[in-house]
Amino acid sequence: MRPRAPRRERLPGAMAEMPMPLTGPGVDLQDRDHRPPGVWSLRLVSSASREKVRTDPSDFTARVVPGVELQRLRPYGALIAAAGSWGVATAVAKYAVDGIGAFTTLFIEVGTAASALWTTRLRLRPRRTVPLRHYLFLGLLEPVVAYGALDLGLQHTGAADAALLDGLQSAMVLVMGVVFIKEAVTRRSVAGVLVATVGAALLTGAHFTLSSSIGDALVLLGALGASASVIVVSRLAAEASALEITAYQFGFGFLFTIPVMAIVWGTGSEKVPGLAQLPHVAAAMAIGLVGFALGYLAYNYAVSHVAVGVAGMALNLIPLFGVVVAVLWLGEDLSTPKVIGGALILFGVFLFPYEADTESSKEPGKLALSEVTIPEETHL
């Protein structure tokens, strides 16, 4: 069956009867002086945009003018949800670690997250689209290096120093994005990251008298691992869904933690939880389900839609949510430096530029902004 003929647009002069295929997700048709007669340029734009077509008599252009869509805000909502879940998890983790130890808490968290993610993935039965070695590397970076090095570092350095080093993740992500995937950086980007990082330091009570101890080095290694995982996810997201990425990330992460826990429990560094520690185990499982499974699922989804610099900026919201939970739930005092730090974080987040995110979207299955040439008689 012959496809339906394209709609004709009334244009000035000899172009009045030229067929203009205005079908598909969105089009931008142009006939410039430097193009051969009868050859048009077709620019494909996002299928999520609201289409409003206008014509320009000077260059005979029919251009799509995207409206403001709710779908464009979803990645930012996912980033806020992820940061919120991690902020809450940070406050709850204090209770779990006090009862069963840092490594046991991490083991339960990662195991719970892997179980929930793989239960969902096996029910859907999708095909894997990325080689396993990439997921193995991602699982090694985070959660193993990111959380394992952080937990080891906390045993050799102060919590304030660790909070300051861990708060450098947004700056690390921004730098890695420039170095490894050639993302553009503006003055507003740098200013936003610096302001938000200073705010995070004030909010967590960090000071600037860091030493060259092994503890600081381990915390810095953990922050580097977490930052590098954002870059890896941004590359994998072009081929795989957020569920696939997150499931394999925590699946391999859990496999890596098994020999570690065998050593920790075998040497008596931490004890296997008993009945008396069930409330602490339940807290760790809740963190694994909400903070790890749902939090990383939302974050990996957002990374596939926004620039990695934006994804890194969202990490500055974690201590902000953590302090809010600590004040409202744990009854901690809200000091003046914390208020100033929270205000600086919000100012830095709003200062950061977001205009180019939709242009660098890497959503699987959708065409990026591209250009092809077609004959005028071609029917779409």
Side-chain angles (χ1 to χ4, degrees):
M1 178 180 296
R2 181 180 176 83
R4 185 173 59 182
R7 187 176 67 183
R8 296 176 183 270
E9 287 286 326
R10 299 294 300 176
L11 296 175
M15 307 295 293
E17 295 300 322
M18 181 70 70
M20 298 178 63
L22 295 176
T23 59
V27 293
D28 184 358
L29 299 173
Q30 297 179 330
D31 190 6
R32 302 289 187 180
D33 294 337
H34 65 274
R35 300 188 186 278
V39 176
W40 289 71
S41 168
L42 172 63
R43 290 176 66 85
L44 301 176
V45 297
S46 172
S47 60
S49 63
R50 184 186 307 163
E51 298 182 4
K52 178 181 178 183
V53 180
R54 65 186 180 188
T55 58
D56 186 349
S58 64
D59 58 3
F60 308 113
T61 299
R63 187 180 303 276
V64 174
V65 180
V68 178
E69 318 91 1
L70 181 61
Q71 185 173 355
R72 290 179 58 185
L73 301 178
R74 291 178 183 175
Y76 301 104
L79 287 175
I80 295 174
S85 67
W86 294 335
V88 174
T90 301
V92 179
K94 296 180 182 179
Y95 172 77
V97 170
D98 289 343
I100 57 179
F103 283 100
T104 303
T105 299
L106 178 62
F107 179 70
I108 295 174
E109 291 169 345
V110 176
T112 302
S115 301
L117 291 166
W118 274 100
T119 299
T120 304
R121 177 169 171 79
L122 292 176
R123 290 187 63 181
L124 298 177
R125 297 181 180 179
R127 295 181 60 184
R128 177 169 51 85
T129 59
V130 173
L132 288 177
R133 64 180 181 275
H134 299 318
Y135 291 132
L136 187 147
F137 180 60
L138 177 61
L140 180 62
L141 287 175
E142 192 171 21
V144 177
V145 172
Y147 287 95
L150 176 62
D151 290 340
L152 284 175
L154 285 173
Q155 298 178 7
H156 299 87
T157 190
D161 288 354
L164 175 59
L165 290 170
D166 199 48
L168 296 176
Q169 286 189 36
S170 60
M172 294 178 184
V173 171
L174 187 67
V175 173
M176 289 183 180
V178 174
V179 174
F180 294 108
I181 60 178
K182 311 301 180 184
E183 278 209 341
V185 175
T186 64
R187 293 179 180 178
R188 282 184 57 190
S189 302
V190 177
V193 168
L194 291 178
V195 170
T197 302
V198 172
L202 290 174
L203 191 66
T204 55
H207 53 79
F208 297 91
T209 59
L210 298 178
S211 63
S212 58
S213 67
I214 184 64
D216 291 341
L218 287 171
V219 173
L220 185 61
L221 176 63
L224 285 171
S227 303
S229 70
V230 178
I231 306 300
V232 174
V233 170
S234 71
R235 309 309 293 171
L236 298 179
E239 303 178 20
S241 66
L243 176 60
E244 177 179 324
I245 294 173
T246 314
Y248 278 100
Q249 177 182 6
F250 280 92
F252 280 114
F254 180 66
L255 293 179
F256 282 127
T257 59
I258 292 177
V260 174
M261 290 312 302
I263 296 174
V264 171
W265 285 340
T267 58
S269 299
E270 294 179 8
K271 295 182 179 180
V272 179
L275 293 177
Q277 287 79 37
L278 281 181
H280 302 278
V281 172
M285 293 179 66
I287 296 173
L289 182 60
V290 178
F292 280 18
L294 296 180
Y296 276 90
L297 188 62
Y299 191 78
N300 290 344
Y301 162 78
V303 170
S304 67
H305 290 74
V306 302
V308 295
V310 177
M313 277 297 296
L315 300 176
N316 289 303
L317 296 175
I318 299 175
L320 182 61
F321 282 106
V323 168
V324 171
V325 173
V327 171
L328 297 180
W329 183 38
L330 301 179
E332 293 186 3
D333 295 331
L334 184 61
S335 61
T336 301
K338 290 183 178 180
V339 174
I340 297 175
L344 288 176
I345 289 177
L346 293 177
F347 180 71
V349 169
F350 284 109
L351 183 63
F352 196 90
Y354 301 93
E355 293 84 358
D357 296 342
T358 54
E359 295 179 5
S360 60
S361 174
K362 300 172 285 296
E363 182 178 359
K366 288 194 178 182
L367 293 172
L369 194 62
S370 57
E371 185 170 321
V372 296
T373 58
I374 59 173
E376 64 182 72
E377 55 270 5
T378 300
H379 297 280
L380 299 182

